[in-house]
Amino acid sequence: MSLALMSLVILGGLVLLLALGIEIAPAMGIVAGLGLVLFVHQPLDYFARAAFEIMNSFTFTAIPLFVFMGTIYANTGIVSGLFRGAEKIFGSLPGSLCSAMILANAIFGAISGSSLAATATFGRICFPEMEKAGYNTKLSLGAIAISGTLSVLIPPSLIMIVYGGWMDVSVARLFAGGVIPGIILTLFFVITVTIMVLRNPGLAPQASIRKFTAREKLTALWDLFPFLVVITLVLGTIFTGIMTPTESASLGAFLSIILAMLFRKMTYKALKESMLSAVNISAMIAFVLFTARMLGQVFQYIGLTEATSAFMMNMGLGKYATLAIICVLYLILGCFFDSLSMLVLTLPFVAPIVKNMGFDFIWFGVLYVVLAEIGLVTPPFGLNLFVLKGVVPKYEITYIFAGTLPFLIPTGILIVLIILFPDLVLWLPRILYSR
């Protein structure tokens, strides 16, 4: 059977199943099973052996631990201290509540790694405060949705763990590569809010601005101190090489329980819900990884991945024109797939192209994460939009998306900066791991 016909059967079957409303993981599993039997000529019990080989990864063990750490903070409510502390820091800055929420989200991202958890948590905590203060609802909802994406860029990031395990690159270097872009994007979001409010003061009434004394601003450091200690210990042990990301995730999970107990917020219900969330999310990720890897093996066996790479390289467009096509493709796919499914579904095709063009896999991993951030807030399937609608059901998806539009400009600027100045990503990993 020709490559074209085999590709048509596999890709056409995948598109058909998705059009019928079947979830991405089962759809990939069904198509991979058909491909194994029809084209690879492997019995279906190969699935069981391959599942164990693929998921028997020490790197992937970090996923449930980091998820558990973030859900402990969210379910116990101690994360509200981040918002209070950040609010005192920004003081009389125009749109200070929005800026405080963005900073709190960035810090939460450094102890969570889950964009959906960040969006749900700060939607519950911050939106009522901003609504009470008279903030424009479109600005408030847009800022909450877009700042939730910081959790996938600022380490520890679940997407980076999956990318590192899948591509066999250092997760610690990926984490280091995301630090500077994460800080830059946080500043860009704060600047965007400030400019919007300065141009249209009605978005955040001056009467809502609280004046904090120097003493109150100093107490903000105390509000943030416990979280900064956890971040320093978790990321510090990774970057110094004292612990692997998985071992550091274990430390972070333990510290999250201790911190919740110190704040007297730990309950049996919160612990149970956090453990169940960690299991559910990790099982979902494992299912997606397994089926995507099987489908990727089918693609590789029939020669589709090599043919795609050869086709792109033979177009003669140049490395940056080819990269631009890949970026546009990810922006389009991000409207229809979640970031994890999009990553594992496309890597078998994109990775050979990236390698042949001479791009660094650490750099490309961070670039992908920023591209995936846009997909989290773009209809029709932007997950952050759906999560926030679940928290604030009276506002439609399109209304929330309209609020995120101004923030897509700084995100696009960051993508251009990462392409023009790769050292924004590569400098810190090089400094930390040059020895």
Side-chain angles (χ1 to χ4, degrees), residues 23 56 235 359:
E23 296 289 338
N56 185 26
L235 296 183
F359 290 122

Side-chain angles (χ1 to χ4, degrees), residues 394-424:
K394 63 181 178 180
Y395 296 102
E396 294 299 324
I397 295 290
T398 52
Y399 184 84
I400 301 172
F401 170 64
T404 67
L405 285 175
F407 297 96
L408 296 183
I409 296 173
T411 308
I413 293 173
L414 179 63
I415 292 171
V416 174
L417 290 176
I418 288 175
I419 294 173
L420 294 179
F421 307 103
D423 273 354
L424 287 176

Side-chain angles (χ1 to χ4, degrees), residues 337-348:
F337 294 93
D338 65 272
S339 54
L340 176 63
S341 301
M342 181 171 67
L343 174 69
V344 296
L345 188 59
T346 59
L347 270 183

Side-chain angles (χ1 to χ4, degrees), residues 363-381:
W363 172 86
F364 181 76
V366 175
L367 176 64
Y368 170 81
V369 167
V370 181
L371 290 166
E373 285 186 344
I374 297 177
L376 287 168
V377 293
T378 48
F381 298 112

Side-chain angles (χ1 to χ4, degrees), residues 59-71 109 111-117 150-166 171 174-175 249 277-278 281-282 284-285 289 339-340 343-344 368-369:
T59 300
F60 291 150
T61 309
I63 293 175
L65 295 170
F66 279 127
V67 172
F68 176 76
M69 182 170 67
T71 52
I111 55 177
S112 168
S114 171
S115 172
L116 304 185
L150 292 171
S151 291
V152 300
L153 178 58
I154 297 174
S157 165
L158 300 185
I159 294 296
M160 288 183 183
I161 295 172
V162 171
Y163 177 88
W166 190 280
V171 174
L174 280 167
F175 282 179
S277 295
I281 293 173
S282 301
M284 179 272 294
I285 292 175
L289 287 177
S339 54
L340 176 63
L343 174 69
V344 296
Y368 170 81
V369 167

Side-chain angles (χ1 to χ4, degrees), residues 38-99:
L38 297 177
F39 308 132
V40 186
H41 307 296
Q42 288 279 359
L44 286 180
D45 62 358
Y46 178 72
F47 261 94
R49 300 194 304 272
F52 177 77
E53 293 173 3
I54 292 167
M55 298 314 302
N56 185 26
S57 167
F58 185 67
T59 300
F60 291 150
T61 309
I63 293 175
L65 295 170
F66 279 127
V67 172
F68 176 76
M69 182 170 67
T71 52
I72 281 288
Y73 291 118
N75 290 333
T76 57
I78 60 176
V79 75
S80 60
L82 286 175
F83 179 58
R84 300 301 174 198
E87 182 185 2
K88 295 173 185 176
I89 290 175
F90 283 103
S92 58
L93 189 73
S96 57
L97 287 181
C98 261
S99 297

Side-chain angles (χ1 to χ4, degrees), residues 116-128:
L116 304 185
T119 303
T121 300
F122 287 95
R124 288 192 298 265
I125 294 172
C126 299
F127 181 72

